Amino acid sequence: MGNKITKPDANPVVALLLTWFVLGIGHLVVNGQQRKWLMTLVASFIGTLLCCVPGMVVSILSIIDAFKTAEKLKAGKSIDENEYSVELLYKIVKIIDKEAVFVP
């Protein structure tokens, strides 16, 4: 497990919007998950190179994950810097990041 992050001021809507419009940056700026941001960006890029649709799927799952993770933080929970809240995104990223963890 990586570093624990606590951010009760996390805003789920801002995390969602930043992740949607600015290359997944909601993971980094709102949720404080630098490694997760890099891994989802890489997975999205690889998926787009393969056939476009996998990249779009990773991007959509990433948006949902950023929102759900920010909700956990707002509720006062601590999260791991490599923690994923959406199981399918976790399974995809786990291929390139063996340190990824899934916590529903």
Side-chain angles (χ1 to χ4, degrees):
M1 288 266 203
N3 299 327
K4 288 292 185 179
I5 299 166
T6 305
K7 291 182 78 174
D9 61 338
N11 185 321
V13 174
V14 173
L16 180 146
L17 292 173
L18 285 175
T19 302
W20 186 356
F21 291 112
V22 192
L23 296 173
I25 203 102
H27 294 295
L28 177 64
V29 174
V30 177
N31 298 340
Q33 296 176 296
Q34 180 178 0
R35 183 179 179 102
K36 181 179 178 180
W37 168 65
L38 288 171
M39 292 299 130
T40 55
L41 190 62
V42 167
S44 180
F45 181 69
I46 291 170
T48 300
L49 287 177
L50 291 176
C51 169
C52 190
V53 172
M56 289 178 10
V57 168
V58 169
S59 295
I60 291 167
L61 293 172
S62 185
I63 292 164
I64 296 165
D65 189 274
F67 181 84
K68 290 177 85 172
T69 301
E71 282 186 322
K72 288 181 188 178
L73 289 166
K74 188 174 181 174
K77 296 179 181 175
S78 291
I79 61 164
D80 189 86
E81 67 178 340
N82 299 319
E83 181 176 314
Y84 291 79
S85 300
V86 174
E87 189 172 11
L88 182 55
L89 180 61
Y90 159 75
K91 287 179 178 180
I92 293 168
V93 174
K94 186 74 173 171
I95 296 167
I96 59 172
D97 183 10
K98 301 303 179 199
E99 295 182 26
V101 294
F102 173 66
V103 179

